[in-house]
Amino acid sequence: MAPEGDKIAELRDRGFCVLKAHFDRSLVERCRAAFWPILLEYLDKNRDQPNRGEHRHFLPMPFDPPCFAPEFFFDGGILGVVRRMMDKRMVADQWGCDVPLKGSTYQQPHVDYRHPLFAEAPDLLLPTYMLAVSFGLIDISVAHGPIEIAPGTHRMPTGEALHLVESGATGLQPVTLDLGDVLIRHPWALHRGTPNATDTPRPLVTIRYVRRWYADSSRDVNPVPLAVWESLTEEQQEVMRFPIGAAASGAQAPRRLKPAPQSSTPPSM
């Protein structure tokens, strides 16, 4: 079986897989160097107003290069896995960052959707219609508070999966990530955040891909600047479902194709 096929089999069976050393480290380092001042400014203003639990923050990622790079969204290996799990017409609709700080605690195991697709059949097992693709902006060790995932629980009713995890029959596995590693996971697999015991914020960046017919407003997103939008090919634009920044005065509005620091460890706080 080809490496891509191995990862697809692992994703289907376990609910997640990791592509080791997939992104060039320098690409991620440039993203981090540009994002770090934005993150620190946000934390200066919002440290006492966590929005994802105690000492946990979420903020939408900017689309300004080098925070945004086409390689993050249009990588052939990643899209090959995502399209095989869904279909060729899937789109990216979220681009955000989860950041636990020192003092964060264990989250309760949970899944990443607010409501089942069919309210009358909440435990109906369905084909995959969304996937989360994540990578760290630092090396994420156990001490930094990695995500923990319960393998195989994406194929179970949520109540049954919770019982197995709470009873210890199914364990939660920490997913540590080196810079450049990429985690692809099924949002229905039970998971939780763990405590960050270090003085360094732990940014985990996530792109969500969904089937084109699916939409929700579960997370805030930033608009794509017009210049960035126009720099993308038509094929790349087809993959992006984000608001587009307003055109400059007197300029034509963009055409919407579909409705709708330098080391691997940055300075601590």
Side-chain angles (χ1 to χ4, degrees):
M1 186 181 295
E4 181 181 299
D6 291 340
K7 293 303 179 182
I8 291 168
E10 185 178 357
L11 184 54
R12 284 174 174 158
D13 180 55
R14 293 168 55 80
F16 67 98
C17 67
V18 175
L19 309 182
K20 297 295 294 182
H22 193 77
F23 287 146
D24 188 278
R25 291 175 66 93
S26 64
L27 181 71
V28 183
E29 287 170 346
R30 288 194 295 272
C31 175
R32 182 185 65 230
F35 179 64
W36 209 255
I38 297 170
L39 173 60
L40 296 186
E41 180 180 3
Y42 171 88
L43 293 175
D44 282 344
K45 296 177 180 178
N46 299 281
R47 181 179 298 276
D48 297 328
Q49 303 176 64
N51 55 14
R52 286 298 185 273
E54 189 174 4
H55 299 286
R56 291 183 179 277
H57 298 264
F58 166 81
L59 59 161
M61 286 290 289
F63 281 97
D64 304 284
C67 285
F68 167 81
E71 293 91 335
F72 295 144
F73 280 79
F74 313 118
D75 177 84
I78 294 172
L79 292 187
V81 172
V82 172
R83 285 169 170 154
R84 286 274 299 276
M85 291 294 294
M86 292 191 280
D87 62 39
K88 293 182 179 180
R89 298 180 65 250
M90 56 81 217
V91 294
D93 73 339
Q94 291 183 2
W95 169 233
C97 187
D98 290 287
V99 189
L101 307 176
K102 191 171 187 177
S104 52
T105 58
Y106 285 100
Q107 292 181 315
Q108 291 298 314
H110 59 279
V111 296
D112 279 348
Y113 60 84
R114 291 181 176 179
H115 308 289
L117 193 58
F118 298 101
E120 68 276 21
D123 291 329
L124 182 64
L125 296 180
L126 298 166
T128 303
Y129 59 88
M130 68 172 74
L131 288 170
V133 173
S134 304
F135 58 95
L137 297 186
I138 62 171
D139 293 325
I140 299 176
S141 68
V142 171
H144 289 99
I147 187 174
E148 289 184 339
I149 305 176
T153 52
H154 63 300
R155 295 181 280 106
M156 303 177 187
T158 301
E160 177 185 342
L162 282 169
H163 174 74
L164 290 174
V165 169
E166 290 167 355
S167 69
T170 296
L172 286 152
Q173 298 185 6
V175 183
T176 58
L177 298 170
D178 294 328
L179 205 68
D181 292 351
V182 175
L183 166 66
I184 306 177
R185 66 178 176 86
H186 202 304
W188 303 336
L190 279 181
H191 60 281
R192 67 178 179 181
T194 63
N196 181 355
T198 76
D199 294 322
T200 302
R202 186 233 65 187
L204 183 70
V205 177
T206 297
I207 302 167
R208 188 178 75 167
Y209 295 93
V210 298
R211 293 183 188 256
R212 189 171 292 270
W213 48 262
Y214 181 81
D216 65 33
S217 56
S218 59
R219 286 194 165 193
D220 294 335
V221 296
N222 280 319
V224 180
L226 179 60
V228 173
W229 174 259
E230 292 180 336
S231 74
L232 303 178
T233 67
E234 185 168 326
E235 182 180 7
Q236 290 171 338
Q237 289 176 353
E238 287 277 2
V239 176
M240 302 288 279
R241 192 170 71 194
F242 293 92
I244 302 169
S249 178
Q252 184 177 1
R255 180 170 65 95
R256 293 181 183 271
L257 297 176
K258 297 292 176 184
Q262 298 308 311
S263 65
S264 63
T265 303
S268 60
M269 296 290 288

